[in-house]
């Protein structure tokens, strides 16, 4: 009986539950389609206005930002002058560049309504004179006058910045890195120098001419500086920078009212012999400043102006230290908005032997010409000379216009880099033409001496005819003619003629380093390594097996006839009414390097041979 009652109760419960489930339930009240679209439209509209504002911000169009995007409250609080002029001034003085603004995703519970601010989290990053600046800040847009407008304050320029604060940038240049030779000897280094000035009330203006002569400037330059509007009798007035020269310093500071401050100046210890390699630094020009806009350079900076100082400017300069300081208007406290530590540049170690370079330059004795010395087993360039050179120290800190004109008008063309130029090689090409003939079978091994001893024109023309223009051109192209030689410094490519096709021997042009490199093949089993200027570079074959090993011995035997004790070529080449003397070769016994030496306007071969003897025998 009890079991039946339980079954009846359970059945009634199931029936009641089923009846409840079958009864229709009221559906949850859905948002109207119009309301959903309205929320989406407000979000899209606010984000679109923010995107437009950021675009103008990155373009530094502060006028348009103010006129079309700031809300009335911001305009009333700060005004157009502060918003536009102050931002323009700060961006210029702090060298603010590369502004990046990343807009974060809105919060999932964000309410989008015209009655509420639309808040966006911004991640800001920029480069400045004080280093990178990064911060996060929320920007609000308010709906007024039928659109969304930005609520702004000065802390969007720099974190913590307020109206009335004073902003300044402090810069400290990193020491410029040295350029040294293979033995660590300085080619371009930092040395002690002095800024020299006067205190007007203690200085007798009758001594202006004396001071000008010692500083190598004009009296008019001193008078102009003393007449500047900011000058007061007790102020220090800087006049010029000079290198450390005790005799000059003693004379200067015997004159009452003169003052000196120690500083660092660039110095070139080897002077003229390495001038076309080192180059020099000088004040940055307006053109260079425009080219490097946004990279941290300012109008008072120095920059590499020639040679390796220019080519490796980025590596040598390093990273300038900088700080952006905000002096608070309310408390007077100074806070650091951003800071970047200085990092010295990378020292540049060369394969060059500065003493060998100096020896070759001095042996040329001021004659116009060029030279190259290469280690045949590695391709390392041990010397690369252009004569005459100039003294790069004259450009530190800044050369006088009169002195520059004097150098620029020097008939010896001291600024012309001859090792980067191309010359007619004449009979120096004979061993290579003979090698091409041996490879082609158009020169007999037992006739090598006679072949190399032929005039350049006769040998070149005969092989051109014997091999045919196309085959002959291809064999000479194997020696690198018609292509740019891989090298740190740009050199004029060697060519067979202006149109690239073989013509007469006199049309061939080659730079001195290429010629020296080609003669290294005789000591490398017929291959040529890429010439390298930077120390530590891994030797790499440039021209592979351009001379077969079987042909090297007869060619070397023939070349031993040029100069007693040397293997190579010595010849005179007619050039523009004069004769250039050209030697390429190496001592027959224990050759330390291959030397190519070209001296312009010589009387005979002996004039060149004497210089070769002087270079190798010292």
């Amino acid at each position: 009986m009890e079991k039946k009652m339980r079954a009846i109760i359970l059945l009634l419960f199931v029936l009641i539950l089923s009846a409840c489930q079958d009864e229709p339930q009221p559906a949850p009240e859905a948002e109207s389609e119009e309301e959903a679209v309205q929320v989406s439209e407000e979000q899209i509209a606010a984000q679109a206005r923010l995107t437009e504002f950021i675009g103008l911000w990155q373009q530094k169009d502060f006028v348009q930002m103010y006129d079309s995007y700031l809300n009335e409250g911001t305009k009333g609080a700060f005004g157009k002058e502060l918003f536009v002029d102050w931002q323009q001034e700060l961006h210029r003085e702090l060298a603010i560049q590369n502004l990046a603004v990343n807009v974060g995703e809105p919060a999932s519970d964000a309410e989008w309504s015209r009655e509420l601010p639309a808040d966006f989290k911004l991640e800001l990053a920029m480069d400045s004179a004080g280093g990178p600046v990064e911060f996060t800040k929320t920007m609000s847009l308010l709906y007024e006058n039928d659109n969304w407008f930005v609520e702004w304050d000065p802390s969007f320029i720099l974190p913590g910045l307020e109206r009335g604060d004073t902003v300044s940038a402090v810069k400290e240049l990193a020491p410029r890195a040295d350029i040294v030779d293979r033995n660590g000897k300085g080619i371009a280094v930092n040395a002690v120098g002095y800024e020299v000035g006067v205190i007007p009330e203690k200085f007798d203006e009758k001594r202006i001419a004396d001071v000008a002569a010692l500083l190598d400037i004009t009296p008019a330059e001193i008078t102009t500086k003393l007449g500047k509007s900011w000058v007061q009798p007790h102020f220090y007035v800087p006049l010029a920078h000079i290198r450390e020269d005790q005799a000059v310093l003693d004379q200067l500071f015997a004159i009452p009212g003169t003052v000196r401050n120690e500083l660092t100046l660039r110095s070139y210890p080897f002077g003229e012999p390495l001038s076309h390699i080192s180059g020099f630094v000088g004040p940055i020009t307006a053109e260079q400043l425009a080219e490097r806009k946004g990279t941290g350079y300012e109008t008072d900076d120095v920059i590499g102006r020639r040679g390796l100082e220019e080519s490796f400017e980025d590596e040598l300069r390093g990273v300038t230290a900088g700080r952006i300081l905000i002096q608070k208007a309310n408390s007077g406290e100074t806070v650091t908005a951003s800071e970047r530590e200085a990092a010295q540049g990378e020292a540049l170690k060369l394969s060059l032997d500065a003493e060998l370079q100096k020896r070759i330059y001095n042996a040329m004795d001021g004659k116009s010409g060029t030279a190259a010395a290469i280690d045949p087993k590695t391709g390392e360039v041990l010397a690369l000379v252009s004569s005459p050179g100039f003294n790069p120290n004259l450009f530190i800190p800044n050369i006088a216009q009169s002195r520059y004109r004097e150098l620029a008008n020097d008939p010896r063309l001291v600024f012309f880099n001859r090792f980067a130029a191309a010359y007619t090689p004449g009979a120096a090409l004979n061993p290579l033409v003979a090698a091409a003939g041996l490879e082609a079978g158009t020169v007999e091994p037992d006739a090598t001496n006679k072949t190399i001893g032929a005039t350049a024109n006769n040998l070149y023309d005969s092989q051109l005819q014997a091999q045919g223009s196309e085959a002959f051109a291809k064999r000479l192209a194997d020696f690198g003619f018609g292509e740019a030689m891989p090298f740190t410094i740009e050199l004029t490519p060697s060519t067979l003629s202006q149109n690239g096709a073989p013509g007469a021997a006199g049309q061939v042009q080659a730079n001195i380093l290429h010629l020296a490199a080609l003669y290294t093949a005789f000591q490398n089993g017929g291959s040529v390594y890429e010439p390298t200027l930077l120390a530590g570079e891994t030797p790499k074959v440039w021209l592979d097996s351009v001379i077969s090993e079987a042909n090297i011995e007869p060619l070397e035997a023939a070349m031993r006839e040029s100069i007693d004790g040397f293997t190579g070529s010595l010849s005179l080449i007619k050039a523009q009414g004069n004769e250039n003397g050209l030697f390429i070769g190496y001592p027959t016994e224990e050759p330390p390097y291959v030397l190519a030496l070209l001296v312009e306007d010589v009387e005979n071969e002996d004039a060149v041979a004497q210089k070769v003897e002087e270079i190798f025998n010292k």
Side-chain angles (χ1 to χ4, degrees):
M1 183 69 179
E2 186 176 348
K3 289 182 179 179
K4 287 183 179 180
M5 287 297 295
R6 287 178 182 172
I8 292 169
I9 292 171
L10 180 60
L11 179 61
L12 288 171
F13 178 79
V14 171
L15 291 172
I16 293 169
L17 181 61
S18 299
C20 291
Q21 287 179 336
D22 291 338
E23 190 174 328
Q25 300 293 317
E29 188 173 340
E31 292 180 335
S32 69
E33 185 176 335
E34 182 179 349
E35 288 177 337
V37 171
Q38 182 65 36
V39 170
S40 177
E41 285 178 351
E42 295 302 342
Q43 180 177 353
I44 292 171
Q47 287 178 321
R49 288 282 286 175
L50 177 61
T51 299
E52 293 167 3
F53 181 81
I54 291 172
L56 294 171
W57 193 358
Q58 292 173 321
Q59 296 170 25
K60 301 182 182 181
D61 190 347
F62 302 117
V63 173
Q64 185 69 9
M65 290 166 67
Y66 183 91
D67 289 342
S68 303
Y69 290 87
L70 291 192
N71 77 315
E72 294 300 327
T74 298
K75 289 181 176 180
F78 299 106
K80 191 168 187 175
E81 182 177 353
L82 185 145
F83 182 85
V84 175
D85 296 348
W86 197 31
Q87 284 203 84
Q88 288 176 338
E89 180 183 351
L90 289 177
H91 274 250
R92 182 175 59 254
E93 292 186 357
L94 303 180
I96 293 175
Q97 300 286 341
N98 305 321
L99 173 66
V101 183
N102 182 45
V103 182
E105 290 293 329
S108 58
D109 59 349
E111 295 186 35
W112 297 93
S113 167
R114 294 179 177 181
E115 286 72 37
L116 296 174
D119 294 333
F120 297 91
K121 183 179 179 181
L122 304 185
E123 295 176 354
L124 298 103
M126 66 192 83
D127 295 326
S128 75
V133 180
E134 297 181 1
F135 60 101
T136 301
K137 187 170 174 61
T138 297
M139 177 168 279
S140 298
L141 276 71
L142 306 179
Y143 193 86
E144 54 188 45
N145 300 324
D146 297 326
N147 211 337
W148 290 96
F149 290 88
V150 172
E151 191 173 47
W152 179 91
D153 66 69
S155 63
F156 283 101
I157 305 174
L158 290 171
L161 185 63
E162 298 176 296
R163 182 173 188 164
D165 291 348
T166 302
V167 182
S168 60
V170 179
K171 183 177 75 171
E172 180 184 346
L173 292 177
R176 193 173 182 88
D178 293 344
I179 303 175
V180 299
D181 81 341
R182 65 189 300 111
N183 300 311
K185 292 188 176 182
I187 293 172
V189 297
N190 299 319
V192 173
Y194 295 92
E195 180 184 75
V196 177
V198 296
I199 297 175
E201 65 183 7
K202 298 180 180 180
F203 177 65
D204 183 356
E205 293 193 2
K206 294 178 181 178
R207 304 297 303 273
I208 285 179
D210 297 331
V211 173
L214 291 167
L215 295 178
D216 197 22
I217 59 178
T218 65
E221 289 178 83
I222 296 179
T223 301
T224 298
K225 291 179 179 181
L226 290 174
K228 295 286 187 181
S229 59
W230 59 267
V231 174
Q232 298 294 322
H234 60 286
F235 281 10
Y236 164 74
V237 181
L239 298 179
H241 293 172
I242 62 171
R243 295 186 300 278
E244 188 172 34
D245 184 325
Q246 197 57 50
V248 172
L249 291 172
D250 289 344
Q251 293 180 69
L252 272 171
F253 301 116
I255 300 173
T258 55
V259 179
R260 67 179 177 184
N261 294 309
E262 186 175 306
L263 46 73
T264 299
L265 292 177
R266 200 65 163 165
S267 177
Y268 303 95
F270 283 88
E272 290 186 14
L274 278 147
S275 56
H276 288 281
I277 292 289
S278 67
F280 54 85
V281 297
I284 191 167
T285 65
E287 183 181 24
Q288 289 172 317
L289 194 60
E291 289 173 354
R292 292 178 173 266
K293 183 179 180 181
T295 59
Y297 285 84
E298 297 180 24
T299 54
D300 60 345
D301 281 340
V302 298
I303 192 171
R305 298 283 290 272
R306 278 179 182 261
L308 296 181
E309 289 276 36
E310 180 179 17
S311 301
F312 286 85
E313 167 66 19
D314 293 338
E315 291 82 357
L316 294 167
R317 183 174 189 256
V319 178
T320 301
R323 287 183 296 159
I324 294 179
L325 305 177
I326 300 176
Q327 185 173 8
K328 305 301 292 181
N330 294 333
S331 64
E333 177 189 7
T334 299
V335 297
T336 301
S338 71
E339 185 170 12
R340 175 178 58 201
E341 293 184 0
Q344 185 167 357
E346 301 173 21
L348 200 61
K349 188 171 185 178
L350 307 182
S351 61
L352 293 180
D353 182 331
E355 292 295 341
L356 174 61
Q357 177 101 0
K358 181 179 177 181
R359 187 194 315 163
I360 295 172
Y361 184 86
N362 290 342
M364 297 180 76
D365 196 25
K367 293 282 289 183
S368 296
T370 181
I374 303 181
D375 183 335
K377 300 301 181 183
T378 63
E380 290 177 296
V381 177
L382 304 178
L384 193 55
V385 176
S386 178
S387 175
F390 57 91
N391 184 0
N393 291 301
L394 294 175
F395 290 83
I396 307 302
N398 196 9
I399 192 169
Q401 283 297 317
S402 58
R403 179 65 62 86
Y404 180 81
R405 284 194 297 271
E406 182 182 328
L407 291 172
N409 295 327
D410 190 321
R412 301 176 305 154
L413 304 177
V414 297
F415 288 147
F416 177 48
N417 185 359
R418 289 171 169 83
F419 68 66
Y423 291 84
T424 302
L429 202 62
N430 282 7
L432 306 175
V433 174
L438 288 169
E439 302 293 330
T442 54
V443 170
E444 295 296 329
D446 57 3
T448 304
N449 278 27
K450 182 179 178 181
T451 302
I452 288 182
T455 66
N457 286 336
N458 287 345
L459 176 58
Y460 193 89
D461 290 345
S462 66
Q463 287 303 305
L464 176 60
Q465 294 297 322
Q467 297 180 39
S469 178
E470 185 176 343
F472 187 58
K474 183 181 183 306
R475 286 192 172 87
L476 291 185
D478 290 341
F479 287 109
F481 286 90
E483 66 175 276
M485 183 173 64
F487 192 58
T488 304
I489 299 172
E490 185 176 354
L491 307 176
T492 302
S494 301
T495 57
L496 299 179
S497 65
Q498 287 187 346
N499 64 13
Q507 293 179 316
V508 178
Q509 297 280 296
N511 65 68
I512 196 71
L513 185 60
H514 187 184
L515 292 173
L518 290 177
Y519 273 60
T520 66
F522 298 111
Q523 295 187 49
N524 281 331
S527 295
V528 177
Y529 284 105
E530 285 187 5
T532 58
L533 186 61
L534 305 182
E537 291 190 72
T538 302
K540 182 180 178 182
V541 172
W542 173 37
L543 306 173
D544 190 20
S545 301
V546 289
I547 303 174
S548 65
E549 292 194 42
N551 291 329
I552 290 176
E553 176 51 37
L555 289 167
E556 280 199 305
M559 288 192 292
R560 294 188 191 110
E561 304 297 322
S562 290
I563 309 179
D564 186 33
F566 290 89
T567 300
S569 168
L570 175 62
S571 59
L572 294 179
I573 307 146
K574 289 185 178 180
Q576 298 179 345
N578 299 315
E579 287 189 314
N580 294 339
L582 176 59
F583 167 84
I584 312 175
Y586 41 90
T588 301
E589 301 294 331
E590 299 182 3
Y593 48 82
V594 172
L595 174 69
L597 173 67
L598 184 144
V599 184
E600 297 177 15
D601 192 17
V602 295
E603 295 181 0
N604 50 52
E605 293 179 354
D606 287 343
V608 180
Q610 289 172 5
K611 297 182 186 302
V612 172
E613 293 276 2
E614 182 180 348
I615 291 166
F616 278 107
N617 291 336
K618 276 194 176 181

